[in-house]
Amino acid sequence: MTLEVIDFFCGSGGFSEGFRQQGFKIIKGIDNWNPAIQTHNLNHGLDDRVSDVLDFEKSIDSINKLKNTEIIIGSPPCVTFSMSNRAGKADKSLGVRLIEAYLRVVAVKKHQPKSILKAWLMENVPNSRNFVREFYTFDDLDLGDWAKTIGKESGDIALRVKNNGGFFIAADYGSPQSRERFICGEIVRTGDFPEPQITHSKKSDIFNHQVYKTLGEIKRFMPSPFEFLIDGEWKDPNYPGLILIGNTLTDHFYDTGLYQVEWEKAKFAKVNHPYMGKMSFPEDENKPSRTIMATRSASTREAIIFKSEYSRNGDGEYRLPTIREIATLMGFPYNYQFFGSEGTKWRLIGNAVCPHMSAALAKAIRRDLGLGVIEEKEVDFTSLNENHEKVNNLNSPTKKTQFNAPPKKNIGAKFRMHPFKSGNMTVALTNFDPINGSNPHTNGKNWFCVLYLGSGKIYDAIPVSKTLFRDVEKIVSSFSEFEQIKNEFSDKIINNVGSFDDLQYVFEKNVGEIDRVGNPVKIIENVSEIINNCLFKIDETCTIRLDGIKKTNFHKKQLLAIWMISQIVYSNNPSRIKNNKKIVQPSII
Ligand SMILES: C[S@@+](CC[C@H](N)C(=O)[O-])C[C@H]1O[C@@H](n2cnc3c(N)ncnc32)[C@H](O)[C@@H]1O
């Protein structure tokens, strides 16, 4: 028996794909974003138009018009949630409204006379569990009057949600990704959640689980993006029976090399965050991939960054994953195609349910309905084979040799960066006053050395005054290696620092002097390097009293950071730089 499925908030169809692999027939996808519907249509042989799930809030008619299916699945977007969840619609956040609009459809399809619904599921981010109820009555779903027409009371329970499911990690079900999600639902006949069977774990164990697939295993199994070959044979690391030839492996053979300014920023955010834990840079390949986010980012903590196979230093030394790599790390088969630009494809993929997770749920439903399970080797991918010709293939056989159009920032973009954290404090160079704040148009007109004292999100921010700078200078100039440090600081940093305007300009345009020495990101890295290379024990402390600061015990390296960054701020002389023509190359702006 082939069971039919409607996929609400279908996106590119990760949820659908797991069910397809388990022999279910996807008959409709609902999404209000065109690239999602186009992608879902292409991969599942459908012809749907964009539509809005909120339309099902309005009338029962619209729900009745939807074809009845045995299965309903849905993964509402993780847009805003808020604690306010009272009865009136106006009080609900969009996230809660979308969940309830979906549950309303499920409730009607479950309780309508002659219902054929056998199972339903809802998937969302873990935090969404805080915003769903243990159960929903017909009244809660605005179905009070309708309930009476089918012989029920408006206060009767229509659906159990919060405890009918739990948190699940995709890697436990064979996905090469550690994505965690809240999933709930039921087998209608029993009211029980179709518990998926764990197949993988961190280490081999008594349950005969396979060991997690790691990021490195997947990456090494795939061809390098620089093998711009058209006649290779590419075996899918997730589905070994699926083999593609040459350019039919789309969205993979192109250069995703990053500008140095981008990867350096990501590196700093990962290894040197003021209050969050240290992360690997580049990615740790010995574990499943971290969660692929919906937004393609190159310079944040969330960015997934690999060392490039193409040997370059600085610009291009590191790269982002290709679209095919992230699709494979989600568990999409090699011949699954995505519409749109690189950014759109990334969003479609990062939004999806991992197909392995979805297939495990589909298998559990088959088991609970007494249907045979479809083994992986029996899964058929041929229906997807010709689709590569219908999408914009990102493959492009040119290596980036010139990195001459770095991503620009907004005019007035804020800057705050510290060379390291130690002793419960950071010393940062900023282009905004942390106490008075500054509006974006004034950022960059003034730069500050700021002490951030404390941990977590609660801290004191103290701009270093000229007097405080001079007090610290007296102390650091007595350090044994001060002369040497001072010379290195002059050579590497202070002689190359531009005026405040120049600093802002170089930062916004992501350019700088040769080797970007005048770029504030590079300046802070150089400060970090000089201090961390000092010979004296860097965590040694000094007990001193500084004007306006309660703390009296300072790591020597922090005092050096105060001295260096204040020096940058207080010796900043606009005329010096302009006279020496130390400003960036206008040709690349
Ligand atoms: C988490 S994603 C779904 C991912 C999908 N299940 C998959 O596995 O690929 C949420 C989707 O909801 C869609 N969406 C957001 N608001 C919507 C609305 N009001 N009506 C229909 N779709 C909506 C978004 O365009 C997005 O594709």
Side-chain angles (χ1 to χ4, degrees):
M1 173 166 66
T2 304
L3 303 184
E4 294 189 332
V5 181
I6 296 193
D7 186 351
F8 283 75
F9 312 97
C10 61
S12 60
F15 215 168
S16 288
E17 176 56 19
F19 276 78
R20 188 193 72 79
Q21 291 181 11
Q22 276 300 305
F24 292 82
K25 185 168 167 45
I26 315 301
I27 61 130
K28 189 175 181 61
I30 296 176
D31 204 290
N32 67 353
W33 186 36
N34 199 35
I37 278 296
Q38 276 187 302
T39 301
H40 193 259
N41 279 345
L42 178 68
N43 291 285
H44 296 280
L46 298 170
D47 194 20
D48 294 316
R49 303 253 171 96
V50 285
S51 57
D52 196 325
V53 172
L54 290 178
D55 289 345
F56 299 111
E57 269 183 341
K58 295 176 197 151
S59 76
I60 302 281
D61 251 12
S62 57
I63 303 178
N64 287 337
K65 277 187 198 141
L66 274 177
K67 188 174 177 213
N68 294 322
T69 54
E70 289 86 4
I71 313 289
I72 299 179
I73 57 177
S75 46
C78 50
V79 288
T80 54
F81 290 112
S82 81
M83 289 314 281
S84 151
N85 189 13
R86 281 173 266 140
K89 277 188 195 121
D91 292 319
K92 290 179 188 169
S93 65
L94 181 59
V96 169
R97 260 183 81 190
L98 287 164
I99 288 176
E100 293 185 3
Y102 170 63
L103 294 176
R104 187 166 194 265
V105 178
V106 174
V108 170
K109 293 296 183 189
K110 173 181 165 184
H111 293 282
Q112 69 188 357
K114 299 197 184 140
S115 165
I116 62 165
L117 188 71
K118 293 187 186 301
W120 66 271
L121 292 172
M122 179 167 78
E123 186 260 18
N124 210 321
V125 291
N127 177 41
S128 66
R129 185 171 180 272
N130 295 325
F131 300 92
V132 294
R133 304 183 187 198
E134 193 184 333
F135 57 79
Y136 289 79
T137 63
F138 289 100
D139 242 353
D140 293 335
L141 298 171
D142 212 4
L143 290 171
D145 292 340
W146 179 79
K148 290 180 192 137
T149 68
I150 56 162
K152 304 221 182 227
E153 295 299 324
S154 58
D156 287 352
I157 294 176
L159 297 173
R160 292 187 186 279
V161 174
K162 196 180 195 121
N163 299 320
N164 244 51
F167 299 110
F168 298 89
I169 295 174
D172 288 347
Y173 304 92
S175 166
Q177 193 180 148
S178 56
R179 195 182 195 88
E180 188 185 16
R181 287 293 184 260
F182 169 61
I183 303 171
C184 59
E186 68 175 319
I187 298 285
V188 172
R189 186 172 48 82
T190 58
D192 294 335
F193 177 72
E195 199 67 48
Q197 196 184 346
I198 291 180
T199 52
H200 289 66
S201 57
K202 223 180 208 166
K203 297 187 190 138
S204 53
D205 56 22
I206 50 163
F207 303 108
N208 233 356
H209 292 150
Q210 297 174 54
V211 180
Y212 280 164
K213 283 185 201 154
T214 64
L215 167 60
E217 266 172 64
I218 298 291
K219 205 165 145 263
R220 286 189 294 275
F221 200 93
M222 296 182 72
S224 146
F226 298 98
E227 287 177 37
F228 298 111
L229 292 177
I230 46 161
D231 52 1
E233 271 201 356
W234 317 122
K235 199 187 261 193
D236 190 319
N238 288 305
Y239 310 98
L242 175 59
I243 299 171
L244 298 192
I245 294 172
N247 204 32
T248 59
L249 181 64
T250 55
D251 299 339
H252 182 60
F253 298 111
Y254 65 105
D255 188 350
T256 55
L258 293 175
Y259 283 88
Q260 188 169 351
V261 277
E262 295 177 297
W263 64 253
E264 272 177 349
K265 195 153 179 257
K267 183 175 174 188
F268 251 73
K270 284 165 189 278
V271 301
N272 196 22
H273 195 274
Y275 55 87
M276 289 162 88
K278 193 170 173 173
M279 293 170 75
S280 305
F281 180 92
E283 273 322 285
D284 181 348
E285 298 195 1
N286 298 316
K287 296 180 186 162
S289 160
R290 286 182 299 115
T291 301
I292 310 281
M293 310 296 279
T295 307
R296 177 183 181 277
S297 75
S299 46
T300 61
R301 260 172 87 76
E302 289 75 33
I304 294 192
I305 295 180
F306 303 151
K307 179 93 180 162
S308 179
E309 296 75 356
Y310 183 33
S311 155
R312 286 178 291 218
N313 283 329
D315 288 336
E317 190 173 339
Y318 293 92
R319 66 172 180 89
L320 286 183
T322 64
I323 285 296
R324 187 52 58 192
E325 280 172 326
I326 58 161
T328 307
L329 290 169
M330 288 294 295
F332 280 105
Y334 260 9
N335 52 0
Y336 205 96
Q337 307 298 340
F338 305 89
F339 275 100
S341 64
E342 189 181 16
T344 299
K345 288 178 194 243
W346 192 296
R347 179 166 295 280
L348 287 166
I349 295 165
N351 259 342
V353 178
C354 292
H356 290 92
M357 179 78 252
S358 156
L361 292 158
K363 264 186 198 172
I365 291 178
R366 289 188 76 94
R367 177 200 63 209
D368 293 353
L369 295 180
L371 303 169
V373 164
I374 294 177
E375 295 303 330
E376 262 177 38
K377 56 180 184 302
E378 297 166 39
V379 175
D380 184 17
F381 296 101
T382 50
S383 65
L384 301 171
N385 267 350
E386 303 309 318
N387 293 344
H388 62 92
E389 287 167 359
K390 298 177 188 147
V391 295
N392 160 39
N393 183 354
L394 300 176
N395 287 354
S396 157
T398 39
K399 289 174 188 159
K400 286 184 196 165
T401 49
Q402 283 191 316
F403 282 78
N404 57 3
K408 294 176 191 169
K409 299 202 173 52
N410 293 337
I411 304 284
K414 280 192 172 179
F415 179 88
R416 170 184 157 182
M417 198 166 164
H418 55 270
F420 44 75
K421 58 177 170 179
S422 74
N424 220 7
M425 74 184 270
T426 58
V427 181
L429 176 66
T430 73
N431 65 357
F432 58 94
D433 180 337
I435 297 191
N436 303 323
S438 0
N439 78 45
H441 301 292
T442 60
N443 290 341
K445 300 283 176 221
N446 242 333
W447 288 66
F448 301 85
C449 173
V450 182
L451 305 190
Y452 290 93
L453 298 164
S455 59
K457 289 185 182 167
I458 300 170
Y459 53 77
D460 277 338
I462 304 171
V464 175
S465 64
K466 224 170 198 167
T467 318
L468 183 54
F469 164 43
R470 294 297 169 206
D471 287 348
V472 170
E473 190 170 45
K474 274 183 217 140
I475 299 161
V476 296
S477 56
S478 68
F479 290 174
S480 57
E481 290 172 71
F482 183 67
E483 281 309 309
Q484 190 192 322
I485 293 169
K486 192 173 160 188
N487 289 340
E488 206 182 336
F489 175 64
S490 300
D491 269 8
K492 268 195 171 166
I493 302 178
I494 203 72
N495 292 340
N496 302 300
V497 174
S499 67
F500 285 163
D501 279 350
D502 294 342
L503 276 173
Q504 183 68 18
Y505 180 83
V506 171
F507 169 59
E508 284 166 10
K509 302 286 183 280
N510 264 337
V511 289
E513 265 286 310
I514 302 156
D515 291 335
R516 300 177 16 268
V517 283
N519 190 308
V521 176
K522 191 69 191 172
I523 289 172
I524 292 302
E525 275 174 23
N526 282 339
V527 168
S528 166
E529 199 178 297
I530 295 173
I531 296 177
N532 285 324
N533 286 344
C534 288
L535 291 178
F536 66 81
K537 269 208 211 113
I538 213 72
D539 287 342
E540 269 178 42
T541 52
C542 282
T543 305
I544 44 165
R545 213 160 267 293
L546 291 172
D547 197 27
I549 301 179
K550 279 194 219 128
K551 183 180 170 79
T552 52
N553 210 13
F554 293 88
H555 283 172
K556 281 182 164 184
K557 68 183 204 174
Q558 290 292 25
L559 294 173
L560 274 172
I562 297 175
W563 178 75
M564 286 189 192
I565 297 175
S566 302
Q567 179 97 332
I568 291 163
V569 167
Y570 287 117
S571 69
N572 201 283
N573 174 358
S575 59
R576 173 172 61 96
I577 303 305
K578 293 220 166 90
N579 293 341
N580 289 348
K581 293 196 167 45
K582 278 211 178 278
I583 193 67
V584 292
Q585 315 91 312
S587 58
I588 58 175
I589 290 149

